[in-house]
């Protein structure tokens, strides 16, 4: 489940000294009847993980779990991208998609790799202004435009991606 990936990633950041909190899951676009009979609208969560680095920099990560080797963007992903772009526009904030790819390969068994797609970081960011609904992000795209998060026993190692806590 995606929640396992979120927990593993949050634990990896905590071991590097980051403060991490997770937005609680709630059904998207759910109408709620309150005690007075009025209908209330529960807003969709903007991203999965809220972070603060040891040096005090804010971060936001949206986690995605893929069961295939490609990711086709939909309207929800584009809304989340807009939110992450807003956060990335206030440097030195970290805004990223964390993509975990878990699928059964033809030769090696289960493929379990994770990538961090930073939004708005100069020199390492993909050209997100060209992203659109139905864009397909595959393994070759991820290898070119993102950073692979190394796998360790029981989780992921983000220490190499953020030397010095940033």
């Amino acid at each position: 489940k995606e929640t396992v990936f979120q927990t593993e990633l949050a634990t990896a950041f905590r071991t590097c000294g980051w403060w991490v909190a997770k937005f609680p899951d709630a059904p998207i676009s759910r109408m709620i009847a309150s005690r007075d009979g009025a209908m209330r609208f529960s807003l969709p969560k903007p991203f999965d993980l809220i972070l603060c680095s040891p040096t005090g920099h804010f971060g936001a990560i949206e986690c995605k779990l893929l069961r295939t080797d490609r990711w086709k963007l939909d309207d929800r992903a584009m809304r989340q991208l807009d939110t992450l772009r807003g956060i990335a526009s206030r440097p030195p904030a970290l805004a990223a998609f964390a993509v975990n790819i878990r699928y059964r390969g033809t030769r090696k068994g289960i493929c379990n790799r994770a990538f961090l797609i930073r939004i708005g970081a100069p020199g390492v960011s993909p050209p997100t202004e060209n992203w659109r609904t139905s864009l397909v992000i595959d393994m070759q795209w991820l290898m070119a435009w993102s950073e692979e998060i190394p796998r360790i026993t029981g989780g992921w190692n983000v220490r190499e991606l953020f030397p010095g806590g940033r």
Side-chain angles (χ1 to χ4, degrees):
K1 291 187 176 184
E2 188 174 293
T3 56
V4 173
F5 178 52
Q6 292 169 359
T7 303
E8 289 175 346
L9 201 57
T11 302
F13 275 99
R14 284 185 188 110
T15 59
C16 294
W18 291 61
W19 176 86
V20 181
K22 182 184 173 313
F23 268 109
D25 289 326
I28 292 188
S29 302
R30 182 175 67 149
M31 296 297 287
I32 302 170
S34 62
R35 284 190 239 197
D36 61 0
M39 296 300 283
R40 306 274 192 266
F41 182 73
S42 71
L43 296 173
K45 62 182 185 176
F47 42 82
D48 293 318
L49 300 176
I50 306 165
L51 306 113
C52 184
S53 76
T55 57
H57 300 298
F58 177 78
I61 295 180
E62 171 60 31
C63 298
K64 298 291 180 191
L65 175 65
L66 308 179
R67 303 252 183 237
T68 64
D69 61 346
R70 56 187 58 227
W71 174 30
K72 185 177 178 183
L73 299 182
D74 56 7
D75 290 332
R76 192 161 101 194
M78 293 306 293
R79 180 184 47 76
Q80 291 165 334
L81 175 63
D82 288 340
T83 302
L84 293 173
R85 277 186 190 139
I87 292 166
S89 69
R90 291 155 181 88
L94 164 70
F97 281 104
V99 180
N100 183 205
I101 300 174
R102 291 184 189 175
Y103 67 94
R104 183 167 296 284
T106 54
R107 297 185 338 213
K108 286 176 54 175
I110 301 287
C111 176
N112 187 10
R113 295 173 76 178
F115 296 88
L116 192 70
I117 306 170
R118 295 190 196 207
I119 308 299
V124 295
S125 292
T128 58
E129 63 275 358
N130 299 330
W131 286 23
R132 65 193 182 288
T133 303
S134 78
L135 172 70
V136 176
I137 294 175
D138 59 6
M139 190 69 78
Q140 286 155 345
W141 189 97
L142 288 168
M143 297 294 281
W145 289 105
S146 64
E147 301 166 276
E148 187 162 4
I149 306 170
R151 181 84 176 147
I152 57 173
T153 304
W156 304 95
N157 182 9
V158 297
R159 190 175 307 275
E160 295 174 12
L161 301 179
F162 300 98
R166 258 196 39 85

